[in-house]
Structures are given as C-alpha cells and as structure tokens.
Amino acid sequence: WKCEGRSGMIDTQIIGAYNFENILSAICIGNYFGVEAKLIDEAIAEYVSDNSRSQLIKKGSNSIVLDAYNANPTSMEAALQNFSKVEAGNKVICIGDMAELGEESDKEHERIIQLIRSIHYKTLILVGKNFGKFATTISCLHFENSDAAAAYVKEHPLNNAFILIKGSRSSRMEKVLEAL
C-alpha cells in the first residue's frame, strides 16, 4: 500500500477478498492519525479474528472458515465466491439459514442455491427450514437445525477438508464447528 509518501506491505491473517476494503480502511485511519507505516503493517498482520467473522481455524486436519456471526444475501454470496477460489480437493460448504429477509426469503435462499451450483465442492450441508425448501433441488445433506448437523458431523468425521461454515446468528452454526 502507498499513501502520501508512506508505504507498507502486509501479510494478513484475515481471510476473504471481501475483507480487502476493511484492511484498506484500517490503513487509511492509521495514516490519518499519523501512525507509522511499520506499526500499521504490524497491527494488521497480527490481528487474528476470534469473533466468528471470517475466522480461519485449524482443527485436526481440517481448515475451517467460520463466518457464523451474521448472514445476509450479500455476505453469503461474498463468502461463497471467496470459498470457490480456494484450491482444495475436499471442500465442504456448511451453511445455515439467512434470517430476517421477510418476503424475499425464499427468493434469496434459492439464489444462494443457484450460486452453489457453480462452485466445485465435495459436500454441501444445508441447515434450517429456509434452505430446506430447496434441499431436493441440489445434492446435499439437509438438517432442520445446527444440533442435528453437529450430530451428523460428529458421527461422520470430516478429514483433510477445507470447510466454510456460515449462517445467521439464529442458525447457531458454531455448533457444527464444535462437533468437528
């Protein structure tokens, strides 16, 4: 990055191209307040998400992107598009319902299913009644809630997988992470 004669290079632990603008915003704020470029780089490089937002977790032989703090059509699409760009043989998508979409709910859940059709993955796990309406239209495992999905994952362990876990807070998708 370069700004007003100052520059830096950052290796970040933040996953997802959709976070690029957040990183640039942090750089801009640091520059505005006169923070040294080296300190900006270090602060961003050392930041590790621990709030279920774009959190990269290693658990056993699995790499997991936990993005279960919130989900709406825009964030779901961004997470799935980022996931689609990752080179991995055993890719698992585990997504829960998007809440509070009102009369647009069916349309938006179906649109996400359409997007998933264009992504290479090995296993798709859908959680919730909204995604359940479309479970028969795509090859997947469907569970009414995250407790049931977690129980399945516990009984059928995933190994050497790159896993995306995403859903609205009401879906409680972190339960699937706990079962891995």
Side-chain angles (χ1 to χ4, degrees), residues 79-109:
L80 287 164
Q81 286 177 340
N82 187 74
F83 182 81
S84 74
K85 294 175 185 169
V86 173
E87 296 290 329
N90 186 12
K91 292 169 73 171
V92 177
I93 300 171
C94 183
I95 56 173
D97 281 348
M98 299 176 286
E100 302 173 3
L101 297 180
E103 61 187 43
E104 297 296 312
S105 183
D106 285 355
K107 180 180 113 185
E108 293 298 339
H109 282 86

Side-chain angles (χ1 to χ4, degrees), residues 19-148:
N19 279 308
F20 181 69
E21 291 171 348
N22 296 331
I23 294 167
L24 288 179
S25 296
I27 293 168
C28 288
I29 291 168
N31 274 310
Y32 178 82
F33 286 106
V35 177
E36 292 178 40
K38 180 182 174 194
L39 294 176
I40 292 171
D41 293 350
E42 288 173 1
I44 294 171
E46 291 172 5
Y47 175 76
V48 177
S49 176
D50 63 357
N51 59 3
S52 298
R53 293 181 182 201
S54 303
Q55 189 174 347
L56 184 59
I57 300 168
K58 280 292 282 177
K59 197 165 183 183
S61 64
N62 298 315
S63 295
I64 303 144
V65 177
L66 178 64
D67 199 352
Y69 183 80
N70 191 16
N72 59 56
T74 303
S75 69
M76 187 71 79
E77 182 177 348
L80 287 164
Q81 286 177 340
N82 187 74
F83 182 81
S84 74
K85 294 175 185 169
V86 173
E87 296 290 329
N90 186 12
K91 292 169 73 171
V92 177
I93 300 171
C94 183
I95 56 173
D97 281 348
M98 299 176 286
E100 302 173 3
L101 297 180
E103 61 187 43
E104 297 296 312
S105 183
D106 285 355
K107 180 180 113 185
E108 293 298 339
H109 282 86
E110 183 177 30
R111 191 176 67 78
I112 294 301
I113 295 295
Q114 294 294 337
L115 172 61
I116 291 170
R117 283 191 176 92
S118 69
I119 297 173
H120 169 73
Y121 63 89
K122 184 173 180 184
T123 305
L124 171 61
I125 299 172
L126 300 176
V127 176
K129 65 179 181 179
N130 293 314
F131 275 126
K133 294 175 185 177
F134 305 100
T136 60
T137 68
I138 192 167
S139 178
C140 70
L141 299 167
H142 173 253
F143 301 94
E144 286 297 316
N145 56 54
S146 57
D147 288 325

